Amino acid sequence: MERYKILDELGDGTCGSVYKAVNVETSEIVAVKKMKRKFYYWEECVNLREVKSLRRLNHPNIIKLLEIVRQNNELFFIFEYMEHNLYQIMKDRKQSFSEEEIRALMSQVLQGLAHVHKHGYFHRDLKPENLLVTNNIIKIGDFGLARELSSTPPFTDYVSTRWYRAPEVLLQSSSYTPAIDMWALGAILAELFTFCPIFPGESEIDQLYKICCVLGAPDWNTFPEATNISRLLNITCSDIMPADLSDIIPNASMEAIDLIKQLCSWDPLKRPTAEQCLQHPFFHVATWVPRSPGDALQLTLGSEPNLELNLWDFGTSTDDCFLGLTLAVNPSAPNLGRDMAHKNQGAKEDLMICPGLIDHSSQSVFWSLFPSNHHVITTSVEPSLSLSFSSAPNPSIGGPQAAGFAMATFQSNILERPLLATSAPFTQGHYL
């Protein structure tokens, strides 16, 4: 430890204390976690769950363990340094996060967690304090309670901070799955909107009561392996009705509310996996494009809406993971679309695309709007309006954003004449 100089104490936990330090040889700023118990053998150190898991998990959204030092029977973990944790950011922030910021943060966490689960571990202690942030990059930290998926039950019932603890853990189920991590992420997602915990129980019984007040009473058959189901019986005998999440989180979109509902499901089997969450519509919403100044873009093709874009829903499997789009043009010219009536029944065409899916560029769609001569489409004309989906980095957060709209520069007179919409495949690329 002579190579490290302690600069400041960052936190103190049950198992150890964390300090900010500098490597005097390289000037690198690091985080040093000093374990509170003594370690007399090196084998004890390398067999710790935190060490075993982090040695296997290498991902941009998982904290990096740089070095392990044992000195005078004291054990030190040397981590990469992260400036903040998510709890500190929410506590110090005066303005709420935008949904775009929440989407970028959560997508990074989900990518890291998907890597954890894929490599045979679950975290068991996800909470805002254990999500570390530097320059809008967020990483999962503190793997002290992590366990292998192959571990033999029964598991320890006391895992995770109470507010983010899944009901099956509160009810002392003899076994549980990575779904407990997904429950915690649902609670964190809700908190990112409100800066307040959604289930702030003051005890384990009160925690269950707080969950019932939001979700309503569960199905009695949901927890067949629970050893303390009497806790729930005492609470739900009054048939508590579920609350409307939109009232609790008024600044959340319908997509965000739906994702929180799925993650915070009483039934662990109904909670989506981390990979499934990344395909949820919450991470594939369109970016709003404001109207240019003045009335240059005002529709002049009639009093009724002429351009209509409807978003449908995603499926849960890869083959069903599509976004349905409907583009309709209702021109004032009576002959427009007559030649395409056998295809679209009045210039209305349904299209299916697969945004943000690797190696699915052939299933993507590029739309162009061209001036119409009432009978034919001149495909050599440069598109004045284009919509496309692809993966692109988010400039404000730094994390990947799954999909969005891109619009080419409008011509000031683009909508002053009849238009016809067509579709054609486009080469995979970044349009945002």
Side-chain angles (χ1 to χ4, degrees), residues 233-250:
L233 287 168
N234 293 334
I235 293 173
T236 58
C237 60
S238 58
D239 294 328
I240 301 173
M241 298 300 295
D244 188 342
L245 271 183
S246 297
D247 294 335
I248 299 174
I249 317 172

Side-chain angles (χ1 to χ4, degrees), residues 268-425:
L269 298 177
K270 293 183 179 179
R271 297 172 206 155
T273 65
E275 290 186 346
Q276 288 171 342
C277 285
L278 288 168
Q279 301 303 327
H280 189 275
F282 175 69
F283 296 102
H284 299 267
V285 299
T287 301
W288 177 65
V289 180
R291 177 178 295 180
S292 299
D295 297 326
L297 299 180
Q298 185 174 358
L299 294 175
T300 59
L301 301 181
S303 59
E304 296 297 324
N306 303 92
L307 185 63
E308 178 182 77
L309 186 63
N310 296 324
L311 301 184
W312 298 342
D313 202 358
F314 280 96
T316 56
S317 65
T318 303
D319 293 337
D320 292 332
C321 183
F322 60 82
L323 182 63
L325 298 177
T326 300
L327 183 64
V329 177
N330 181 20
S332 57
N335 295 328
L336 183 60
R338 179 179 298 171
D339 296 335
M340 298 184 67
H342 66 284
K343 287 186 178 181
N344 53 31
Q345 297 181 354
K348 183 173 182 179
E349 183 176 2
D350 292 338
L351 304 170
M352 299 298 179
I353 71 171
C354 293
L357 296 180
I358 300 174
D359 298 330
H360 283 67
S361 59
S362 62
Q363 300 181 40
S364 298
V365 170
F366 179 88
W367 286 348
S368 299
L369 288 179
F370 304 104
S372 172
N373 64 358
H374 299 231
H375 294 286
V376 290
I377 304 171
T378 307
T379 56
S380 60
V381 179
E382 288 295 323
S384 299
L385 169 63
S386 64
L387 304 180
S388 62
F389 283 83
S390 64
S391 299
N394 187 305
S396 63
I397 296 298
Q401 183 173 351
F405 282 114
M407 288 200 177
T409 304
F410 280 109
Q411 296 178 0
S412 61
N413 63 345
I414 181 66
L415 294 178
E416 293 179 359
R417 52 191 171 181
L419 300 172
L420 191 61
T422 63
S423 64

Side-chain angles (χ1 to χ4, degrees), residues 45-79:
C45 307
V46 296
N47 285 326
L48 287 172
R49 290 171 183 162
E50 186 166 12
V51 176
K52 291 171 68 176
S53 60
L54 287 175
R55 288 175 67 180
R56 289 191 59 188
L57 300 173
N58 182 23
H59 190 274
N61 300 116
I62 297 175
I63 194 71
K64 285 182 173 58
L65 177 61
L66 305 176
E67 187 180 359
I68 306 171
V69 178
R70 188 175 73 91
Q71 180 177 294
N72 299 326
N73 296 327
E74 291 184 324
L75 187 62
F76 303 87
F77 296 153
I78 314 300
F79 291 98

Side-chain angles (χ1 to χ4, degrees), residues 105-144:
L105 288 170
M106 287 299 297
S107 68
Q108 292 181 70
V109 176
L110 284 164
Q111 289 176 68
L113 189 59
H115 185 82
V116 173
H117 293 168
K118 181 179 179 181
H119 285 78
Y121 287 89
F122 53 122
H123 190 277
R124 302 204 306 166
D125 194 20
L126 288 174
K127 56 184 177 180
E129 290 91 335
N130 289 340
L131 299 177
L132 311 175
V133 184
T134 293
N135 296 329
N136 297 321
I137 302 298
I138 189 165
K139 302 191 178 190
I140 303 172
D142 196 348
F143 281 74

